[in-house]
Amino acid sequence: MTNSHSKVDSTTADEGTLNTLYAASFTHLLSAVVLMQSTLGLVTKQCGGESTKVVSTLQFMASSSAASELLLNPLLGTLSDRIGRKNALTLVPIISLLCRYSVLKNPGSMKALYASRIFASALLPAFFTLVSIVATDVYGQHPNRKVKFMKKEMRQGIVMAVGIVVGSILAGKLTAKSVVLPFKVSVMLSALTVMLIQFFCRETIAQKATKPLSLANFNPFSFLTLFTRQGLPKVESPPQLEPVAKRKARKNLRRLYITKALQSIPAFMPPDIPQMYCRSRFGWGPEQIGKYFAVIGVSSFLGHMVSPKFQAACGEHATLASHMAAFFGSTLQGMAFNSSMLYASVGFSMLGVGAPTRVGGAIAEIEGSQGTLMSYQQSAQANMVTVMKIVSSSLHGRLLKKGMAAKAEGTEWMIGLPYLANALIHILAQLAFSGVR
């Protein structure tokens, strides 16, 4: 009886740590979002205002940042097994703070700007991956883990949506005053993130469970195991499944991971692309762009709130409905000839936020039922998403450059090519998901 009571107390305390980490996720995200427009402003200044050069520079930064994630995700995951989750989480905002402080001290340095955009930006998703690993510590063996993980995804989605709203408004107002001022705010927010983790979080991995730091545990290409017949490493005594059930589970998982990979391309379009799009197509300034991103954040927040009811109303066709809503949203964004059409597209996109959550919940349920080591699964999945980020930044950057060149020659609609490509990808994601049985 004592052991049971102790276990409940421990779980409650760990859930309290997760709640604190949502607050830390907010401040850490905010420290990045406030720099959204100032980074573009500094790059534009360094490139002499030449649009093609600006897009190429930003595309290189985004691709390099995603490539850095490919190394950072497994490294931090492995490091957290050695030094503990709390210390690994603290390390992320400290490095981000140092990178952004270097820009603050020398805003004319492209080296400092590259370090901030590439490494500090790469650490943003790495932070969320570590939060997911903490969630697996808390819920990995929970009998109702699918619901727990879906609630965690929803809460983290709400945190990100609110962070984007607040950060976008701040970014517009601060950048309008000075392109350097957002870096001062970012440094302070990073410091606040460190304090939240250090003073209000507890360690969720037992000291006896920590593992030696070994290169054997560091594999930036671990995502490839998501698609193999053997799958991911399992716990010491995994559940024994019938061969037919096992094959079916692996087949479904491969389709789910393909769906997840495709969903990642439009989801992780670099924020520089919409900014350049709005500037070129509508002639918007920092505050107008900030308001637009704030509306996107509000719609994302509302989307996570109404998504459960929307999907319940759609029943077994919920994922199809979400993908189709995202398709119409991306199509409207790409074909928008005025700001009213652009804002109208946000409503459709709002209803499309539920599809990734359903796919993530299905993956967690199947992997968990097979006794998969969920911390390894989170790291491998994050690496897969990172690879798709590289694809996303390269694809969207090339399409935007092609669209801007076509616009200069009089074919204005082609500047929306990045969004029209997203519309097609949403259809492909649904086709991949439709094979899950």
Side-chain angles (χ1 to χ4, degrees), residues 35 38 104 173-175 177-186 188:
L35 301 177
S38 59
L104 186 60
K173 293 185 177 297
L174 294 173
T175 306
K177 293 181 180 179
S178 167
V179 291
V180 179
L181 185 57
F183 282 90
K184 293 181 181 178
V185 176
S186 179
M188 290 188 288

Side-chain angles (χ1 to χ4, degrees), residues 50 79 207 241 244 259 267 274 288 299 321 386 418:
E50 188 180 337
L79 190 64
Q207 185 64 37
L241 301 177
V244 174
T259 305
Q288 288 172 301
S299 73
T386 298

Side-chain angles (χ1 to χ4, degrees), residues 175-434:
T175 306
K177 293 181 180 179
S178 167
V179 291
V180 179
L181 185 57
F183 282 90
K184 293 181 181 178
V185 176
S186 179
V187 167
M188 290 188 288
L189 287 167
S190 293
L192 177 59
T193 305
V194 172
M195 289 188 284
L196 282 171
I197 297 168
Q198 279 298 304
F199 297 131
F200 299 103
C201 290
R202 57 173 276 166
E203 183 56 66
T204 57
I205 183 172
Q207 185 64 37
K208 63 181 181 181
T210 57
K211 305 171 184 176
L213 188 62
S214 169
L215 290 177
N217 297 327
F218 172 62
N219 180 12
F221 302 103
S222 58
F223 67 93
L224 294 174
T225 57
L226 298 173
F227 302 95
T228 61
R229 286 187 177 183
Q230 292 76 21
L232 297 163
K234 304 293 188 291
V235 295
E236 290 183 7
S237 301
Q240 296 301 310
L241 301 177
E242 293 292 329
V244 174
K246 192 173 183 180
R247 283 195 298 270
K248 181 180 178 181
R250 289 309 312 163
K251 193 174 182 179
N252 283 335
L253 279 171
R254 280 194 291 271
R255 287 169 174 164
L256 286 167
Y257 283 125
I258 290 171
T259 305
K260 184 79 173 177
L262 288 168
Q263 289 173 337
S264 301
I265 297 176
F268 292 100
M269 174 193 280
D272 311 309
I273 301 296
Q275 289 185 70
M276 294 292 291
Y277 175 75
C278 291
R279 284 188 177 194
S280 180
R281 188 149 201 170
F282 307 115
W284 286 0
E287 291 204 39
Q288 288 172 301
I289 293 173
K291 289 176 182 177
Y292 172 59
F293 273 90
V295 170
I296 292 175
V298 170
S299 73
S300 179
F301 173 80
L302 293 175
H304 282 94
M305 297 296 290
V306 305
S307 181
K309 292 183 179 179
F310 173 69
Q311 293 190 15
C314 295
E316 61 181 12
H317 302 296
T319 306
L320 171 63
S322 293
H323 277 138
M324 292 309 296
F327 164 78
F328 285 117
S330 294
T331 303
L332 266 179
Q333 285 173 316
M335 299 300 293
F337 294 111
N338 54 54
S339 57
S340 297
M341 284 183 68
L342 187 65
Y343 279 110
S345 70
V346 175
F348 285 100
S349 299
M350 177 182 74
L351 298 176
V353 301
T357 301
R358 286 182 65 87
V359 171
I363 289 172
E365 173 65 15
I366 298 174
E367 292 284 21
S369 67
Q370 295 187 101
T372 299
L373 285 171
M374 295 304 290
S375 60
Y376 193 99
Q377 186 272 338
Q378 289 290 329
S379 181
Q381 180 174 284
N383 269 9
M384 179 191 70
V385 171
T386 298
V387 171
M388 301 317 294
K389 284 184 185 179
I390 298 173
V391 174
S392 178
S393 59
S394 178
L395 173 66
H396 290 121
R398 290 175 184 275
L399 290 175
L400 182 63
K401 281 194 289 184
K402 186 174 182 178
M404 291 177 75
K407 181 178 180 289
E409 295 174 0
T411 314
E412 186 167 339
W413 70 269
M414 285 190 68
I415 198 170
L417 281 176
Y419 291 106
L420 297 177
N422 286 346
L424 176 61
I425 292 167
H426 287 305
I427 295 296
L428 294 176
Q430 175 56 35
L431 290 174
F433 183 81
S434 63

Side-chain angles (χ1 to χ4, degrees), residues 148-159:
K148 291 288 186 180
F149 276 112
M150 287 184 70
K151 284 184 177 179
K152 173 258 171 192
E153 289 288 323
M154 185 182 73
R155 287 170 183 167
Q156 195 155 305
I158 291 172
V159 166

